[in-house]
Amino acid sequence: MDALNSLGKTMVSSPERQQEADSDWDIVQRVQAGDVAAFDELSIRYRGRVYGMIYNMTSNREDAADLTQDALIKAFQSINRFQGQSSFFTWLYRIAVNSTLTHLRKNRLRTFFSLEKINENDRQSAEVIEALTDNTGAERDTFVKELQEKLNEAMQKLSIRHRTVVTLFEIDGLGHQEIAEIMNCSVGTVRSRLHYAKQILQAELQPYIRK
Amino acid sequence: MRNERTKSQVTVEDLLSLKRAERPDAEFWHQFEHEMRVKQLAAIVEPRPWWASFIRVGSRMARFQLPVGATAILALTFLTVREYHLPEATDTQFISLSVASIAPVNTTEVAFANVIETTAPETITESIVSEANVMVASNEPATEPAYIAVEVQPESVYSPANEAIAANLAAVRAKTPELARLIARVSGVEEIINPRAPSKVVDPLVRVKTPSTSRTSRLLASALPATFSGERETRGSVMRVERSLTEDRVYDSISRFGVKADRLAISF
């Protein structure tokens, strides 16, 4: 068991992530021992990231909320089977990704956008918007809304697997190895999918790209 | 990241980073927490169905669906081909009877008829056509055996009546083949020309006349009377003639004809 734990933990890339994984494992053990309320800590810790990942794949906030809840409940129900072979974060992400893929395959023909507002207090997004438009006020808001819709449309034009890889790498900031673990494929496949997806996105978002 | 580039430069990665800023507000998380709690409690209370474990096992085996399916189809095909047998002709039974006759002229002196070959004696349920191989031993050693198809009931295959009929026919055949052929034709018994060759199984559907056949024969009736085989048309003509002929007229017509021994007289 310890060997398996150490093997899973070697997959975790950064020291911060390692520390997080250790903390998660402690909480998981408490939940497995019967402290059900301890699961709330895990839920609060990861719900934002899980929701963000699902939202960026579905482009629908209601679907994303439902799928996030379902993924957390599935994790809660199955936590006794979690043996620490990977980090809890990876395990939870795998559950969420699989649920989302199933949902997207079932509703392949239904694409309905329900978008969150872009938080312009975020420094990086404010810089990007500033580089794209000099407008202020209502015109700027309109431009941001239009850009957001174009971004989501471009994402929806990707296949489900390519969209997942882009979401996990570019938006959630996961490494190739972690993505390969979550998607149950090789690192080479992840890189290939990422390269192809970026080519498509570049073609779709050409009017907004400044070189 | 952007510090390394000019402010005006925007890449795909920069655009995708905008999606990171799409975050729900605090009110959303409050609602989310409430719904999550309700679902969690429902999941605890609701027992998992007994077949849930099967679904889990099935989903693990999903990757083997294609090879397992292909193997199953191949196995099924192999078994079907291996176990398939052509349906045997069980409605006909071939019986060869060898009848030895000391004096071929005298039909009463036929000694016996042996059943030489029976292909499926126990499975016959309806009237069968047996091929009677009646071998007549005569003074002439080169006498060819006569093969006559006799319709018999399964339980009467060995009856003395059948043996007598077969022996009589064989004797007549040996003495006067023309007469035997005539008897066979008149009595509806078909003489088999080549008995050693297995009877050819004819598909009943082949015997059914197609509408095009009757139509063709009707159209060609005037040109080629020999090919005209429309029974319906003939029957219709007969009925028409019967209707048109009154009894008096028939009597009148008959009276005009006079038939004697070797003469036919017609009065006009």
Side-chain angles (χ1 to χ4, degrees):
Chain A
M1 185 68 182
D2 290 339
L4 285 175
N5 281 338
S6 61
L7 180 69
K9 283 164 190 170
T10 53
M11 297 291 186
V12 180
S13 52
S14 64
E16 293 82 18
R17 200 59 71 73
Q18 178 69 59
Q19 201 176 350
E20 196 180 63
D22 288 340
S23 169
D24 289 347
W25 178 240
D26 290 340
I27 296 170
V28 167
Q29 282 181 322
R30 276 166 53 200
V31 177
Q32 285 176 340
D35 184 5
V36 179
F39 188 80
D40 286 349
E41 289 181 47
L42 293 171
S43 171
I44 291 166
R45 187 178 289 182
Y46 290 115
R47 68 185 183 188
R49 292 172 73 174
V50 172
Y51 172 82
M53 184 267 293
I54 297 172
Y55 167 76
N56 287 314
M57 285 172 69
T58 57
S59 297
N60 188 300
R61 63 201 305 263
E62 286 78 22
D63 286 351
D66 284 344
L67 287 166
T68 307
Q69 287 162 3
D70 289 347
L72 288 169
I73 288 166
K74 272 184 194 170
F76 175 68
Q77 286 177 325
S78 314
I79 201 157
N80 281 327
R81 291 204 297 273
F82 177 66
Q83 296 174 344
Q85 291 176 6
S86 61
S87 68
F88 176 78
F89 166 76
T90 307
W91 184 68
L92 178 62
Y93 250 55
R94 197 180 295 150
I95 293 171
V97 165
N98 287 336
S99 301
T100 310
L101 291 178
T102 307
H103 169 81
L104 288 171
R105 284 189 192 116
K106 274 185 188 170
N107 304 285
R108 198 183 286 268
L109 300 175
R110 185 181 69 94
T111 309
F112 179 69
F113 289 167
S114 167
L115 305 176
E116 299 282 2
K117 275 188 177 176
I118 290 180
N119 182 10
E120 290 192 46
N121 294 329
D122 183 70
R123 191 178 59 85
Q124 194 176 348
S125 59
E127 278 180 13
V128 173
I129 292 167
E130 198 179 328
L132 288 169
T133 181
D134 296 330
N135 294 328
T136 54
E139 286 181 358
R140 182 187 169 93
D141 289 348
T142 308
F143 175 79
V144 170
K145 206 167 184 177
E146 186 188 285
L147 174 61
Q148 191 186 6
E149 280 178 8
K150 290 286 178 191
L151 264 172
N152 282 286
E153 277 175 17
M155 286 290 283
Q156 292 302 317
K157 283 187 179 170
L158 297 175
S159 74
I160 297 171
R161 291 186 186 282
H162 288 96
R163 202 185 312 159
T164 310
V165 173
V166 169
T167 303
L168 294 176
F169 185 80
E170 291 292 344
I171 303 171
D172 290 347
L174 300 187
H176 291 117
Q177 180 64 47
E178 279 177 300
I179 297 169
E181 259 187 88
I182 289 165
M183 296 193 70
N184 200 22
C185 62
S186 69
V187 175
T189 307
V190 171
R191 287 205 175 101
S192 158
R193 283 178 185 166
L194 194 58
H195 179 71
Y196 179 76
K198 275 187 182 177
Q199 279 185 328
I200 293 176
L201 287 174
Q202 198 141 11
E204 290 291 328
L205 299 169
Q206 196 61 43
Y208 299 97
I209 291 172
R210 306 273 189 274
K211 287 187 178 176
Chain B
M1 185 169 63
R2 283 186 60 79
N3 295 337
E4 298 167 2
R5 293 188 296 264
T6 59
K7 266 196 163 182
S8 60
Q9 190 179 8
V10 178
T11 61
V12 175
E13 289 80 6
D14 293 332
L15 290 171
L16 287 171
S17 71
L18 280 175
K19 286 190 69 64
R20 271 183 227 153
E22 291 180 19
R23 297 257 171 82
D25 52 13
E27 178 59 29
F28 171 85
W29 288 119
H30 181 71
Q31 182 69 21
F32 179 91
E33 191 64 38
H34 176 69
E35 288 176 8
M36 170 87 185
R37 190 70 59 200
V38 171
K39 283 187 180 178
Q40 207 167 5
L41 286 171
I44 292 169
V45 171
E46 187 183 344
R48 301 188 81 181
W50 60 270
W51 41 261
S53 54
F54 289 103
I55 290 177
R56 206 166 53 243
V57 172
S59 63
R60 282 179 192 165
M61 298 291 285
R63 68 183 68 178
F64 304 113
Q65 273 178 353
L66 185 66
V68 167
T71 310
I73 288 167
L74 274 174
L76 193 64
T77 310
F78 177 73
L79 279 175
T80 309
V81 169
R82 194 178 167 191
E83 297 297 321
Y84 180 75
H85 296 296
L86 281 170
E88 290 177 7
T90 55
D91 55 345
T92 54
Q93 183 184 26
F94 298 98
I95 301 168
S96 297
L97 298 175
S98 176
V99 180
S101 172
I102 298 166
V105 179
N106 187 0
T107 57
T108 57
E109 289 181 14
V110 173
F112 56 89
N114 287 330
V115 176
I116 294 172
E117 184 179 279
T118 304
T119 53
E122 65 280 348
T123 58
I124 307 301
T125 55
E126 53 189 24
S127 80
I128 56 170
V129 176
S130 67
E131 180 186 339
N133 179 3
V134 183
M135 184 180 288
V136 180
S138 65
N139 294 334
E140 299 170 8
T143 304
E144 287 291 319
Y147 300 102
I148 299 167
V150 181
E151 189 170 357
V152 295
Q153 296 297 323
E155 54 276 347
S156 63
V157 166
Y158 306 108
S159 70
N162 284 343
E163 289 178 9
I165 290 166
N168 286 337
L169 281 170
V172 171
R173 165 82 180 163
K175 186 184 176 186
T176 52
E178 293 82 10
L179 183 61
R181 208 173 295 123
L182 184 65
I183 290 167
R185 200 175 303 140
V186 168
S187 62
V189 177
E190 185 184 352
E191 187 175 357
I192 297 165
I193 305 300
N194 186 9
R196 300 224 182 270
S199 68
K200 191 178 176 183
V201 179
V202 181
D203 190 352
L205 287 175
V206 175
R207 298 176 193 159
V208 176
K209 285 181 183 173
T210 60
S212 62
T213 311
S214 60
R215 199 161 47 246
T216 307
S217 62
R218 194 174 64 243
L219 290 169
L220 293 173
S222 56
L224 300 168
T227 61
F228 182 66
S229 62
E231 291 175 14
R232 204 168 44 187
E233 285 79 0
T234 310
R235 211 179 305 126
S237 304
V238 169
M239 288 173 71
R240 240 186 345 267
V241 169
E242 282 175 358
R243 272 202 307 274
S244 65
L245 285 175
T246 60
E247 198 172 330
D248 293 334
R249 198 172 166 189
V250 171
Y251 182 77
D252 185 42
S253 302
I254 290 170
S255 65
R256 292 180 186 174
F257 294 91
V259 181
K260 289 188 177 176
D262 54 352
R263 283 186 302 173
L264 173 68
I266 302 169
S267 57
F268 296 97

